[in-house]
Amino acid sequence: MHTGMKSAAILAVGMFLASGCARQQQGSGIADLKRVEVKEYQGKRLSSVGDFVENSIKGPQYVKQASYRMRLHGLVKRPLTLTYAQVLAGKRRYRKVVRLDCVEGWSVNILWEGFLMRDLLKQAGVDPRTKVVILRAADGYSTSFPLDYFYKKDIIVADKMNGVLIPAVRGFPFMLVAEDKWGYKWIKWITSIELSDDVSFRGYWERRGYTNSGDRDKASIGR
Ligand SMILES: Nc1nc2c(c(=O)[nH]1)N[C@H]1C(S)=C(S)[C@@H](COP(=O)(O)O)O[C@H]1N2
Ligand SMILES: [Mo]
């Protein structure tokens, strides 16, 4: 072996050892998940956890389960700050294949699993003045929905995709399965849910020209 190459190889091994654990924790882990994820459901071929195009506003977030908190506030009857376990506790589980379409032109068909947003709202109690549900995330991202979106449809807050826990880069611990809405409404790394009567609220991409409804059957830009 050429000496230059040899020292480069030794250096690489050293770097690998030095960074070992941290790297494993910070890595996407997607390669491993690809082997164990569900690939087909009720005869339908699913996309893979590796098929998403990562384009989050601040890059992947690594939310720790132990220190995670979800705030439910605003026009709620009981303001709550829930731990990871408390978010999941006592809620009926649902699973459904739902397609996410990004405005950039790619789509993924994934088996989502979690609980209904409606059941989470019920836990905090919805003040009748509520018109809008504002969701915020660990990276400062935000989006919002009319309250009745969660009552007219069975909208899932997912903790699993294709049978595996949602990996960090894909939104651990919770992602909204915003069925029939463009990808920018599918907020990942959810940390806060605010009930509001402010119908003029606009989320991160909505403030930058994307439609507030985010309806997938309509153009994503314009009014
Ligand atoms: N917190 C947060 N959630 C987010 C985003 C983001 O930047 N931050 N991007 C949205 C967009 S534009 C899409 S298409 C979907 C899927 O994005 P991904 O492929 O980067 O996971 O997540 C949505 N949820
Ligand atoms: Mo997107």
Side-chain angles (χ1 to χ4, degrees):
M1 195 193 262
H2 187 271
T3 31
M5 265 170 75
K6 200 171 176 182
S7 52
I10 289 166
L11 185 67
V13 169
M15 276 163 63
F16 175 77
L17 291 176
S19 60
C21 279
R23 235 163 215 266
Q24 236 166 15
Q25 206 181 13
Q26 294 292 298
S28 73
I30 298 272
D32 295 335
L33 292 176
K34 275 187 188 169
R35 273 178 261 140
V36 293
E37 69 179 321
V38 176
K39 293 172 183 69
E40 202 181 83
Y41 186 69
Q42 295 179 339
K44 277 184 268 185
R45 180 87 197 151
L46 299 169
S47 309
S48 164
V49 294
D51 290 343
F52 289 70
V53 178
E54 171 54 44
N55 54 9
S56 309
I57 55 162
K58 286 184 187 157
Q61 303 293 305
Y62 297 88
V63 175
K64 287 197 183 75
Q65 185 178 311
S67 56
Y68 175 79
R69 297 291 182 273
M70 182 190 280
R71 269 186 79 212
L72 287 106
H73 58 117
L75 296 174
V76 291
K77 291 184 176 149
R78 298 167 290 277
L80 297 173
T81 301
L82 304 174
T83 63
Y84 176 78
Q86 287 170 332
V87 172
L88 293 169
K91 292 184 188 72
R92 188 173 166 183
R93 305 280 301 170
Y94 294 81
R95 50 164 56 167
K96 189 174 183 184
V97 176
V98 187
R99 199 181 75 225
L100 179 156
D101 299 83
C102 175
V103 298
E104 293 180 329
W106 53 271
S107 313
V108 281
N109 215 29
I110 297 284
L111 173 62
W112 302 97
E113 190 179 323
F115 53 85
L116 296 185
M117 175 61 109
R118 222 173 26 237
D119 290 343
L120 183 61
L121 297 180
K122 194 170 150 196
Q123 198 172 349
V126 178
D127 183 296
R129 289 171 295 169
T130 305
K131 293 193 174 73
V132 179
V133 180
I134 300 169
L135 294 101
R136 295 186 179 86
D139 58 348
Y141 195 78
S142 58
T143 190
S144 64
F145 299 84
L147 178 67
D148 68 2
Y149 173 65
F150 301 111
Y151 291 84
K152 288 187 177 153
K153 292 178 207 255
D154 297 328
I155 298 302
I156 294 172
V157 179
D159 63 323
K160 286 185 174 176
M161 52 194 292
N162 290 353
V164 297
L165 278 183
I166 295 178
V169 293
R170 289 278 72 77
F172 179 87
F174 302 112
M175 179 176 194
L176 186 74
V177 180
E179 198 169 344
D180 301 328
K181 305 281 187 185
W182 287 109
Y184 64 88
K185 305 296 281 190
W186 295 54
I187 185 168
K188 309 186 278 188
W189 307 300
I190 301 168
T191 53
S192 151
I193 299 175
E194 181 188 354
L195 303 189
S196 170
D197 56 3
D198 179 11
V199 294
S200 69
F201 179 89
R202 294 293 180 270
Y204 183 90
W205 282 121
E206 292 87 333
R207 253 171 263 163
R208 290 161 176 79
Y210 287 92
T211 63
N212 196 40
S213 82
D215 286 336
R216 195 184 47 196
D217 60 1
K218 301 188 192 97
S220 59
I221 297 180
R223 293 176 60 86

PDB file of all heavy atoms in Angstrom, residues 52-58 100-103 106 137 139 141 169-170 175 183-184 186-189 205, ligand 1:
ATOM      1  N   PHE A  52     -37.857   9.867   1.183  1.00  0.00           N
ATOM      2  CA  PHE A  52     -38.155  11.297   1.355  1.00  0.00           C
ATOM      3  C   PHE A  52     -36.967  12.122   0.871  1.00  0.00           C
ATOM      4  O   PHE A  52     -35.824  11.657   0.917  1.00  0.00           O
ATOM      5  CB  PHE A  52     -38.368  11.629   2.835  1.00  0.00           C
ATOM      6  CG  PHE A  52     -39.641  11.087   3.437  1.00  0.00           C
ATOM      7  CD1 PHE A  52     -39.802   9.726   3.661  1.00  0.00           C
ATOM      8  CD2 PHE A  52     -40.666  11.942   3.794  1.00  0.00           C
ATOM      9  CE1 PHE A  52     -40.961   9.227   4.234  1.00  0.00           C
ATOM     10  CE2 PHE A  52     -41.836  11.463   4.367  1.00  0.00           C
ATOM     11  CZ  PHE A  52     -41.977  10.097   4.590  1.00  0.00           C
ATOM     12  N   VAL A  53     -37.237  13.341   0.437  1.00  0.00           N
ATOM     13  CA  VAL A  53     -36.159  14.273   0.125  1.00  0.00           C
ATOM     14  C   VAL A  53     -36.051  15.207   1.326  1.00  0.00           C
ATOM     15  O   VAL A  53     -37.013  15.880   1.665  1.00  0.00           O
ATOM     16  CB  VAL A  53     -36.479  15.076  -1.153  1.00  0.00           C
ATOM     17  CG1 VAL A  53     -35.378  16.085  -1.446  1.00  0.00           C
ATOM     18  CG2 VAL A  53     -36.696  14.128  -2.329  1.00  0.00           C
ATOM     19  N   GLU A  54     -34.904  15.186   1.997  1.00  0.00           N
ATOM     20  CA  GLU A  54     -34.748  16.006   3.209  1.00  0.00           C
ATOM     21  C   GLU A  54     -34.542  17.462   2.817  1.00  0.00           C
ATOM     22  O   GLU A  54     -33.544  17.804   2.200  1.00  0.00           O
ATOM     23  CB  GLU A  54     -33.580  15.469   4.039  1.00  0.00           C
ATOM     24  CG  GLU A  54     -33.176  16.350   5.211  1.00  0.00           C
ATOM     25  CD  GLU A  54     -34.322  16.696   6.143  1.00  0.00           C
ATOM     26  OE1 GLU A  54     -35.122  15.812   6.475  1.00  0.00           O
ATOM     27  OE2 GLU A  54     -34.431  17.880   6.523  1.00  0.00           O
ATOM     28  N   ASN A  55     -35.522  18.297   3.169  1.00  0.00           N
ATOM     29  CA  ASN A  55     -35.365  19.733   2.860  1.00  0.00           C
ATOM     30  C   ASN A  55     -35.993  20.586   3.956  1.00  0.00           C
ATOM     31  O   ASN A  55     -36.610  21.608   3.690  1.00  0.00           O
ATOM     32  CB  ASN A  55     -35.946  20.064   1.480  1.00  0.00           C
ATOM     33  CG  ASN A  55     -37.401  19.600   1.341  1.00  0.00           C
ATOM     34  OD1 ASN A  55     -38.028  19.181   2.308  1.00  0.00           O
ATOM     35  ND2 ASN A  55     -37.951  19.705   0.154  1.00  0.00           N
ATOM     36  N   SER A  56     -35.810  20.150   5.209  1.00  0.00           N
ATOM     37  CA  SER A  56     -36.359  20.892   6.345  1.00  0.00           C
ATOM     38  C   SER A  56     -35.665  22.241   6.477  1.00  0.00           C
ATOM     39  O   SER A  56     -34.501  22.366   6.109  1.00  0.00           O
ATOM     40  CB  SER A  56     -36.150  20.096   7.629  1.00  0.00           C
ATOM     41  OG  SER A  56     -36.615  18.787   7.447  1.00  0.00           O
ATOM     42  N   ILE A  57     -36.386  23.214   7.031  1.00  0.00           N
ATOM     43  CA  ILE A  57     -35.887  24.594   7.051  1.00  0.00           C
ATOM     44  C   ILE A  57     -34.553  24.745   7.769  1.00  0.00           C
ATOM     45  O   ILE A  57     -33.751  25.591   7.407  1.00  0.00           O
ATOM     46  CB  ILE A  57     -36.926  25.574   7.645  1.00  0.00           C
ATOM     47  CG1 ILE A  57     -37.379  25.118   9.046  1.00  0.00           C
ATOM     48  CG2 ILE A  57     -38.116  25.713   6.696  1.00  0.00           C
ATOM     49  CD1 ILE A  57     -38.041  26.239   9.849  1.00  0.00           C
ATOM     50  N   LYS A  58     -34.300  23.929   8.803  1.00  0.00           N
ATOM     51  CA  LYS A  58     -33.016  24.040   9.521  1.00  0.00           C
ATOM     52  C   LYS A  58     -32.285  22.711   9.570  1.00  0.00           C
ATOM     53  O   LYS A  58     -31.440  22.490  10.439  1.00  0.00           O
ATOM     54  CB  LYS A  58     -33.240  24.562  10.941  1.00  0.00           C
ATOM     55  CG  LYS A  58     -33.567  26.055  10.960  1.00  0.00           C
ATOM     56  CD  LYS A  58     -33.689  26.584  12.369  1.00  0.00           C
ATOM     57  CE  LYS A  58     -34.182  28.018  12.350  1.00  0.00           C
ATOM     58  NZ  LYS A  58     -34.827  28.381  13.617  1.00  0.00           N
ATOM     59  N   LEU A 100     -47.957  11.457   1.036  1.00  0.00           N
ATOM     60  CA  LEU A 100     -47.449  12.825   1.225  1.00  0.00           C
ATOM     61  C   LEU A 100     -46.914  13.307  -0.118  1.00  0.00           C
ATOM     62  O   LEU A 100     -46.110  12.622  -0.748  1.00  0.00           O
ATOM     63  CB  LEU A 100     -46.339  12.825   2.277  1.00  0.00           C
ATOM     64  CG  LEU A 100     -45.637  14.157   2.621  1.00  0.00           C
ATOM     65  CD1 LEU A 100     -45.030  14.077   4.026  1.00  0.00           C
ATOM     66  CD2 LEU A 100     -44.561  14.562   1.633  1.00  0.00           C
ATOM     67  N   ASP A 101     -47.386  14.469  -0.557  1.00  0.00           N
ATOM     68  CA  ASP A 101     -46.892  15.071  -1.796  1.00  0.00           C
ATOM     69  C   ASP A 101     -46.213  16.396  -1.467  1.00  0.00           C
ATOM     70  O   ASP A 101     -46.857  17.311  -0.953  1.00  0.00           O
ATOM     71  CB  ASP A 101     -48.052  15.389  -2.751  1.00  0.00           C
ATOM     72  CG  ASP A 101     -48.831  14.165  -3.157  1.00  0.00           C
ATOM     73  OD1 ASP A 101     -49.730  13.757  -2.370  1.00  0.00           O
ATOM     74  OD2 ASP A 101     -48.559  13.622  -4.222  1.00  0.00           O
ATOM     75  N   CYS A 102     -44.917  16.501  -1.753  1.00  0.00           N
ATOM     76  CA  CYS A 102     -44.214  17.771  -1.563  1.00  0.00           C
ATOM     77  C   CYS A 102     -44.455  18.630  -2.799  1.00  0.00           C
ATOM     78  O   CYS A 102     -44.554  18.100  -3.916  1.00  0.00           O
ATOM     79  CB  CYS A 102     -42.722  17.535  -1.366  1.00  0.00           C
ATOM     80  SG  CYS A 102     -41.774  19.065  -1.270  1.00  0.00           S
ATOM     81  N   VAL A 103     -44.519  19.939  -2.606  1.00  0.00           N
ATOM     82  CA  VAL A 103     -44.732  20.855  -3.739  1.00  0.00           C
ATOM     83  C   VAL A 103     -43.576  20.769  -4.745  1.00  0.00           C
ATOM     84  O   VAL A 103     -43.713  21.197  -5.881  1.00  0.00           O
ATOM     85  CB  VAL A 103     -44.888  22.323  -3.265  1.00  0.00           C
ATOM     86  CG1 VAL A 103     -46.117  22.470  -2.369  1.00  0.00           C
ATOM     87  CG2 VAL A 103     -43.647  22.810  -2.527  1.00  0.00           C
ATOM     88  N   TRP A 106     -42.160  15.429  -5.543  1.00  0.00           N
ATOM     89  CA  TRP A 106     -42.002  14.020  -5.168  1.00  0.00           C
ATOM     90  C   TRP A 106     -43.100  13.622  -4.182  1.00  0.00           C
ATOM     91  O   TRP A 106     -43.681  14.478  -3.514  1.00  0.00           O
ATOM     92  CB  TRP A 106     -40.616  13.752  -4.572  1.00  0.00           C
ATOM     93  CG  TRP A 106     -40.234  14.655  -3.432  1.00  0.00           C
ATOM     94  CD1 TRP A 106     -39.597  15.856  -3.521  1.00  0.00           C
ATOM     95  CD2 TRP A 106     -40.475  14.443  -2.027  1.00  0.00           C
ATOM     96  NE1 TRP A 106     -39.428  16.397  -2.268  1.00  0.00           N
ATOM     97  CE2 TRP A 106     -39.956  15.555  -1.340  1.00  0.00           C
ATOM     98  CE3 TRP A 106     -41.083  13.417  -1.299  1.00  0.00           C
ATOM     99  CZ2 TRP A 106     -40.026  15.673   0.046  1.00  0.00           C
ATOM    100  CZ3 TRP A 106     -41.150  13.533   0.086  1.00  0.00           C
ATOM    101  CH2 TRP A 106     -40.626  14.652   0.736  1.00  0.00           C
ATOM    102  N   ALA A 137     -42.901  23.493  15.968  1.00  0.00           N
ATOM    103  CA  ALA A 137     -41.960  22.375  16.025  1.00  0.00           C
ATOM    104  C   ALA A 137     -40.605  22.790  16.581  1.00  0.00           C
ATOM    105  O   ALA A 137     -40.311  23.978  16.724  1.00  0.00           O
ATOM    106  CB  ALA A 137     -41.784  21.808  14.620  1.00  0.00           C
ATOM    107  N   ASP A 139     -37.764  22.948  15.339  1.00  0.00           N
ATOM    108  CA  ASP A 139     -36.890  23.770  14.481  1.00  0.00           C
ATOM    109  C   ASP A 139     -37.471  25.162  14.225  1.00  0.00           C
ATOM    110  O   ASP A 139     -36.968  25.886  13.369  1.00  0.00           O
ATOM    111  CB  ASP A 139     -36.632  23.048  13.146  1.00  0.00           C
ATOM    112  CG  ASP A 139     -37.905  22.730  12.379  1.00  0.00           C
ATOM    113  OD1 ASP A 139     -39.013  22.850  12.949  1.00  0.00           O
ATOM    114  OD2 ASP A 139     -37.798  22.347  11.192  1.00  0.00           O
ATOM    115  N   TYR A 141     -40.381  25.708  12.998  1.00  0.00           N
ATOM    116  CA  TYR A 141     -41.387  25.591  11.938  1.00  0.00           C
ATOM    117  C   TYR A 141     -42.786  25.724  12.539  1.00  0.00           C
ATOM    118  O   TYR A 141     -42.995  25.439  13.714  1.00  0.00           O
ATOM    119  CB  TYR A 141     -41.246  24.215  11.284  1.00  0.00           C
ATOM    120  CG  TYR A 141     -41.963  24.057   9.958  1.00  0.00           C
ATOM    121  CD1 TYR A 141     -41.412  24.585   8.800  1.00  0.00           C
ATOM    122  CD2 TYR A 141     -43.178  23.378   9.871  1.00  0.00           C
ATOM    123  CE1 TYR A 141     -42.058  24.430   7.581  1.00  0.00           C
ATOM    124  CE2 TYR A 141     -43.826  23.218   8.665  1.00  0.00           C
ATOM    125  CZ  TYR A 141     -43.260  23.739   7.516  1.00  0.00           C
ATOM    126  OH  TYR A 141     -43.899  23.582   6.313  1.00  0.00           O
ATOM    127  N   VAL A 169     -34.528  12.154  11.656  1.00  0.00           N
ATOM    128  CA  VAL A 169     -34.559  13.030  10.465  1.00  0.00           C
ATOM    129  C   VAL A 169     -35.954  13.149   9.861  1.00  0.00           C
ATOM    130  O   VAL A 169     -36.246  14.119   9.178  1.00  0.00           O
ATOM    131  CB  VAL A 169     -33.587  12.552   9.354  1.00  0.00           C
ATOM    132  CG1 VAL A 169     -32.150  12.703   9.805  1.00  0.00           C
ATOM    133  CG2 VAL A 169     -33.871  11.143   8.928  1.00  0.00           C
ATOM    134  N   ARG A 170     -36.800  12.177  10.119  1.00  0.00           N
ATOM    135  CA  ARG A 170     -38.153  12.192   9.554  1.00  0.00           C
ATOM    136  C   ARG A 170     -39.172  12.813  10.508  1.00  0.00           C
ATOM    137  O   ARG A 170     -40.334  12.925  10.150  1.00  0.00           O
ATOM    138  CB  ARG A 170     -38.602  10.771   9.179  1.00  0.00           C
ATOM    139  CG  ARG A 170     -37.914  10.136   7.984  1.00  0.00           C
ATOM    140  CD  ARG A 170     -38.513  10.592   6.657  1.00  0.00           C
ATOM    141  NE  ARG A 170     -38.140  11.966   6.381  1.00  0.00           N
ATOM    142  CZ  ARG A 170     -36.949  12.336   5.935  1.00  0.00           C
ATOM    143  NH1 ARG A 170     -36.052  11.436   5.686  1.00  0.00           N
ATOM    144  NH2 ARG A 170     -36.672  13.596   5.736  1.00  0.00           N
ATOM    145  N   MET A 175     -45.171  13.433  14.113  1.00  0.00           N
ATOM    146  CA  MET A 175     -45.407  14.132  12.842  1.00  0.00           C
ATOM    147  C   MET A 175     -46.898  14.106  12.538  1.00  0.00           C
ATOM    148  O   MET A 175     -47.577  13.102  12.766  1.00  0.00           O
ATOM    149  CB  MET A 175     -44.654  13.426  11.714  1.00  0.00           C
ATOM    150  CG  MET A 175     -44.847  14.062  10.341  1.00  0.00           C
ATOM    151  SD  MET A 175     -43.834  13.221   9.101  1.00  0.00           S
ATOM    152  CE  MET A 175     -43.921  14.394   7.745  1.00  0.00           C
ATOM    153  N   GLY A 183     -47.313  18.685   1.412  1.00  0.00           N
ATOM    154  CA  GLY A 183     -46.295  18.263   2.390  1.00  0.00           C
ATOM    155  C   GLY A 183     -45.956  19.312   3.437  1.00  0.00           C
ATOM    156  O   GLY A 183     -45.644  18.973   4.575  1.00  0.00           O
ATOM    157  N   TYR A 184     -46.011  20.591   3.071  1.00  0.00           N
ATOM    158  CA  TYR A 184     -45.617  21.630   4.044  1.00  0.00           C
ATOM    159  C   TYR A 184     -46.590  21.747   5.216  1.00  0.00           C
ATOM    160  O   TYR A 184     -46.280  22.409   6.210  1.00  0.00           O
ATOM    161  CB  TYR A 184     -45.386  22.986   3.358  1.00  0.00           C
ATOM    162  CG  TYR A 184     -46.584  23.632   2.689  1.00  0.00           C
ATOM    163  CD1 TYR A 184     -47.445  24.457   3.404  1.00  0.00           C
ATOM    164  CD2 TYR A 184     -46.848  23.425   1.335  1.00  0.00           C
ATOM    165  CE1 TYR A 184     -48.542  25.060   2.786  1.00  0.00           C
ATOM    166  CE2 TYR A 184     -47.931  24.019   0.707  1.00  0.00           C
ATOM    167  CZ  TYR A 184     -48.782  24.834   1.444  1.00  0.00           C
ATOM    168  OH  TYR A 184     -49.861  25.414   0.832  1.00  0.00           O
ATOM    169  N   TRP A 186     -47.515  18.983   6.770  1.00  0.00           N
ATOM    170  CA  TRP A 186     -47.185  17.781   7.558  1.00  0.00           C
ATOM    171  C   TRP A 186     -46.057  18.106   8.540  1.00  0.00           C
ATOM    172  O   TRP A 186     -44.926  17.632   8.387  1.00  0.00           O
ATOM    173  CB  TRP A 186     -46.752  16.637   6.643  1.00  0.00           C
ATOM    174  CG  TRP A 186     -47.792  16.101   5.722  1.00  0.00           C
ATOM    175  CD1 TRP A 186     -48.567  16.771   4.818  1.00  0.00           C
ATOM    176  CD2 TRP A 186     -48.154  14.718   5.585  1.00  0.00           C
ATOM    177  NE1 TRP A 186     -49.370  15.907   4.130  1.00  0.00           N
ATOM    178  CE2 TRP A 186     -49.142  14.637   4.576  1.00  0.00           C
ATOM    179  CE3 TRP A 186     -47.721  13.528   6.215  1.00  0.00           C
ATOM    180  CZ2 TRP A 186     -49.719  13.423   4.188  1.00  0.00           C
ATOM    181  CZ3 TRP A 186     -48.291  12.318   5.816  1.00  0.00           C
ATOM    182  CH2 TRP A 186     -49.286  12.288   4.825  1.00  0.00           C
ATOM    183  N   ILE A 187     -46.352  18.859   9.566  1.00  0.00           N
ATOM    184  CA  ILE A 187     -45.307  19.319  10.483  1.00  0.00           C
ATOM    185  C   ILE A 187     -44.668  18.168  11.260  1.00  0.00           C
ATOM    186  O   ILE A 187     -45.358  17.285  11.773  1.00  0.00           O
ATOM    187  CB  ILE A 187     -45.862  20.429  11.410  1.00  0.00           C
ATOM    188  CG1 ILE A 187     -44.760  21.017  12.300  1.00  0.00           C
ATOM    189  CG2 ILE A 187     -47.060  19.939  12.217  1.00  0.00           C
ATOM    190  CD1 ILE A 187     -45.189  22.306  13.014  1.00  0.00           C
ATOM    191  N   LYS A 188     -43.327  18.177  11.279  1.00  0.00           N
ATOM    192  CA  LYS A 188     -42.535  17.156  11.993  1.00  0.00           C
ATOM    193  C   LYS A 188     -42.047  17.750  13.306  1.00  0.00           C
ATOM    194  O   LYS A 188     -42.079  18.956  13.497  1.00  0.00           O
ATOM    195  CB  LYS A 188     -41.289  16.775  11.181  1.00  0.00           C
ATOM    196  CG  LYS A 188     -41.556  16.405   9.734  1.00  0.00           C
ATOM    197  CD  LYS A 188     -40.304  15.904   9.033  1.00  0.00           C
ATOM    198  CE  LYS A 188     -39.417  17.027   8.527  1.00  0.00           C
ATOM    199  NZ  LYS A 188     -38.299  16.521   7.690  1.00  0.00           N
ATOM    200  N   TRP A 189     -41.540  16.930  14.192  1.00  0.00           N
ATOM    201  CA  TRP A 189     -40.930  17.361  15.472  1.00  0.00           C
ATOM    202  C   TRP A 189     -41.862  18.287  16.258  1.00  0.00           C
ATOM    203  O   TRP A 189     -41.435  19.296  16.835  1.00  0.00           O
ATOM    204  CB  TRP A 189     -39.587  18.077  15.209  1.00  0.00           C
ATOM    205  CG  TRP A 189     -38.615  17.320  14.384  1.00  0.00           C
ATOM    206  CD1 TRP A 189     -38.068  16.104  14.676  1.00  0.00           C
ATOM    207  CD2 TRP A 189     -38.043  17.716  13.126  1.00  0.00           C
ATOM    208  NE1 TRP A 189     -37.193  15.731  13.682  1.00  0.00           N
ATOM    209  CE2 TRP A 189     -37.164  16.695  12.726  1.00  0.00           C
ATOM    210  CE3 TRP A 189     -38.188  18.839  12.310  1.00  0.00           C
ATOM    211  CZ2 TRP A 189     -36.428  16.754  11.539  1.00  0.00           C
ATOM    212  CZ3 TRP A 189     -37.465  18.905  11.122  1.00  0.00           C
ATOM    213  CH2 TRP A 189     -36.598  17.873  10.744  1.00  0.00           C
ATOM    214  N   TRP A 205     -44.225  28.416   5.844  1.00  0.00           N
ATOM    215  CA  TRP A 205     -44.282  28.506   4.375  1.00  0.00           C
ATOM    216  C   TRP A 205     -45.477  29.314   3.898  1.00  0.00           C
ATOM    217  O   TRP A 205     -45.445  29.929   2.824  1.00  0.00           O
ATOM    218  CB  TRP A 205     -44.290  27.104   3.733  1.00  0.00           C
ATOM    219  CG  TRP A 205     -42.928  26.478   3.706  1.00  0.00           C
ATOM    220  CD1 TRP A 205     -42.546  25.297   4.272  1.00  0.00           C
ATOM    221  CD2 TRP A 205     -41.744  27.005   3.085  1.00  0.00           C
ATOM    222  NE1 TRP A 205     -41.209  25.063   4.067  1.00  0.00           N
ATOM    223  CE2 TRP A 205     -40.699  26.093   3.337  1.00  0.00           C
ATOM    224  CE3 TRP A 205     -41.472  28.166   2.358  1.00  0.00           C
ATOM    225  CZ2 TRP A 205     -39.390  26.304   2.877  1.00  0.00           C
ATOM    226  CZ3 TRP A 205     -40.164  28.379   1.901  1.00  0.00           C
ATOM    227  CH2 TRP A 205     -39.147  27.447   2.154  1.00  0.00           C
TER     228      TRP A 205
HETATM  229  N1  LIG B   1     -40.715  20.905  11.574  1.00  0.00           N
HETATM  230  C1  LIG B   1     -40.748  20.831  10.243  1.00  0.00           C
HETATM  231  N2  LIG B   1     -41.702  20.105   9.667  1.00  0.00           N
HETATM  232  C2  LIG B   1     -41.766  20.016   8.315  1.00  0.00           C
HETATM  233  C3  LIG B   1     -40.858  20.707   7.488  1.00  0.00           C
HETATM  234  C4  LIG B   1     -39.839  21.468   8.134  1.00  0.00           C
HETATM  235  O1  LIG B   1     -38.973  22.107   7.506  1.00  0.00           O
HETATM  236  N3  LIG B   1     -39.819  21.504   9.505  1.00  0.00           N
HETATM  237  N4  LIG B   1     -40.949  20.581   6.105  1.00  0.00           N
HETATM  238  C5  LIG B   1     -42.255  20.187   5.549  1.00  0.00           C
HETATM  239  C6  LIG B   1     -42.204  19.799   4.145  1.00  0.00           C
HETATM  240  S1  LIG B   1     -42.022  21.075   3.011  1.00  0.00           S
HETATM  241  C7  LIG B   1     -42.395  18.492   3.716  1.00  0.00           C
HETATM  242  S2  LIG B   1     -42.533  18.108   2.080  1.00  0.00           S
HETATM  243  C8  LIG B   1     -42.514  17.387   4.697  1.00  0.00           C
HETATM  244  C9  LIG B   1     -41.551  16.251   4.412  1.00  0.00           C
HETATM  245  O2  LIG B   1     -40.275  16.792   4.436  1.00  0.00           O
HETATM  246  P1  LIG B   1     -38.965  15.908   4.645  1.00  0.00           P
HETATM  247  O3  LIG B   1     -38.802  15.108   3.416  1.00  0.00           O
HETATM  248  O4  LIG B   1     -37.871  16.936   4.821  1.00  0.00           O
HETATM  249  O5  LIG B   1     -39.173  15.059   5.859  1.00  0.00           O
HETATM  250  O6  LIG B   1     -42.261  17.839   6.026  1.00  0.00           O
HETATM  251  C10 LIG B   1     -42.882  19.052   6.353  1.00  0.00           C
HETATM  252  N5  LIG B   1     -42.747  19.259   7.761  1.00  0.00           N
END
